[in-house]
Amino acid sequence: MTKKIIVAIDGLSSCGKSTMARELAREVGYAYIDTGAMYRAVTLYALRHALLSPDGAVDAAALERRMGEIDITFRVNPATGRSETHLNGQNVEADIRGMEVSALVSRVSALPFVRRALVAQQQAMGREKGLVMDGRDIGTVVFPQAELKVFVTASDEVRAQRRVDELRAKGTDVSMEEVLRNVRERDRLDMERAESPLRRAEDAIELDNTHLTIEGQRERLLQLFRQATEAE
Ligand code: DC
């Protein structure tokens, strides 16, 4: 049997990395963890407990004290076969994808104590390997020893358009301008933050999917996975 590995997938927001990562995990029988969902769940918790205001002001001291009360789990929805995010036992998959959380998550994910707590949980999930994890700092901070690291990119416009399509498919009416602004602002905050900024690990393989179909991406990733497991 081939040895199990850790696959770290990082990249810009809305570049389709979660879809790629989820599909790969399903295809090769690995667990899949969307770390963006974990930062989103903490953001939702902070909003619901008035520790974060819609203009982005965070009561960091109070949030830090309450980090121990935030329990994030992933549970497979038997109806869809997809893993969904739960916050203290409640399914919050829909709430964490809305514009309100999207607009504020970069503020919360820049807080060092939030990153420390979530990185520790993510590292614990990888102890047995056989895991595909996506995020911003997986190949650089969470699993610098990952056997396969992929850094995904795509143009701003393509990413915003994909996000608009996704939100509209769920019945949320958004404008391209608003989403493009949000995508660019999140890139800026993710890349400029002091704590674990988004950057490509030196040994990560770059995958620009601006002109790739979903099928083309799937094949490329599977090929990289096979090469990485054969090399083990
Ligand atoms: O991938 P996403 O858009 O769902 O991520 C939501 C936010 O969380 C994004 O603005 C950056 C942040 N994030 C992070 O800082 N580190 C990660 N490993 C994953 C996400």
Side-chain angles (χ1 to χ4, degrees):
M1 208 182 90
T2 39
K3 222 171 105 187
K4 284 191 171 176
I5 65 166
I6 287 183
V7 183
I9 303 192
D10 290 301
L12 299 165
S13 61
S14 302
C15 65
K17 60 184 184 310
S18 300
T19 309
M20 284 172 67
R22 185 186 303 111
E23 283 293 301
L24 176 70
R26 198 179 48 77
E27 206 151 339
V28 302
Y30 276 22
Y32 163 63
I33 301 292
D34 171 358
T35 61
M38 299 172 74
Y39 289 96
R40 286 170 181 271
V42 175
T43 306
L44 184 68
Y45 177 92
L47 269 171
R48 287 187 172 168
H49 292 81
L51 306 174
L52 171 65
S53 63
D55 65 5
V58 193
D59 184 344
L63 181 59
E64 183 166 14
R65 275 197 304 278
R66 294 176 74 161
M67 282 305 288
E69 294 171 23
I70 307 179
D71 176 49
I72 304 165
T73 49
F74 294 99
R75 300 184 198 164
V76 174
N77 178 337
T80 59
R82 281 171 65 146
S83 160
E84 294 180 342
T85 315
H86 287 66
L87 171 61
N88 293 337
Q90 187 201 359
N91 188 331
V92 292
E93 189 57 37
D95 308 78
I96 62 168
R97 307 290 168 192
M99 283 306 284
E100 194 181 20
V101 169
S102 297
L104 295 168
V105 60
S106 294
R107 308 272 164 196
V108 172
S109 63
L111 298 168
F113 65 85
V114 171
R115 302 206 71 83
R116 266 197 307 276
L118 297 189
V119 166
Q121 290 177 27
Q122 291 153 10
Q123 288 172 334
M125 292 168 182
R127 250 176 233 136
E128 308 287 317
K129 298 213 175 183
L131 179 76
V132 182
M133 187 173 275
D134 83 53
R136 303 293 190 286
D137 59 343
I138 313 306
T140 51
V141 175
V142 183
F143 296 120
Q145 77 290 10
E147 291 83 352
L148 173 60
K149 299 181 186 177
V150 181
F151 192 80
V152 192
T153 60
S155 75
D156 302 356
E157 290 77 13
V158 161
R159 289 184 291 128
Q161 188 60 56
R162 289 178 187 155
R163 184 103 183 95
V164 167
D165 295 345
E166 195 181 279
L167 286 166
R168 287 194 182 149
K170 286 181 191 155
T172 311
D173 188 30
V174 284
S175 72
M176 178 67 185
E177 291 69 34
E178 183 188 4
V179 174
L180 189 58
R181 223 180 312 117
N182 175 253
V183 160
R184 287 185 174 145
E185 178 64 4
R186 279 206 289 152
D187 288 351
R188 192 182 66 73
L189 290 168
D190 291 346
M191 290 190 281
E192 290 178 2
R193 71 171 172 234
E195 188 79 14
S196 311
L198 170 67
R199 64 173 180 83
R200 171 180 176 276
E202 270 172 26
D203 52 350
I205 296 163
E206 185 156 343
L207 201 161
D208 180 344
N209 67 23
T210 307
H211 304 292
L212 279 181
T213 59
I214 292 197
E215 183 54 25
Q217 260 187 86
R218 192 188 72 87
E219 277 173 18
R220 176 81 184 114
L221 193 57
L222 203 54
Q223 182 192 31
L224 292 173
F225 176 81
R226 294 217 174 93
Q227 283 166 1
T229 44
E230 276 160 20
E232 278 306 297

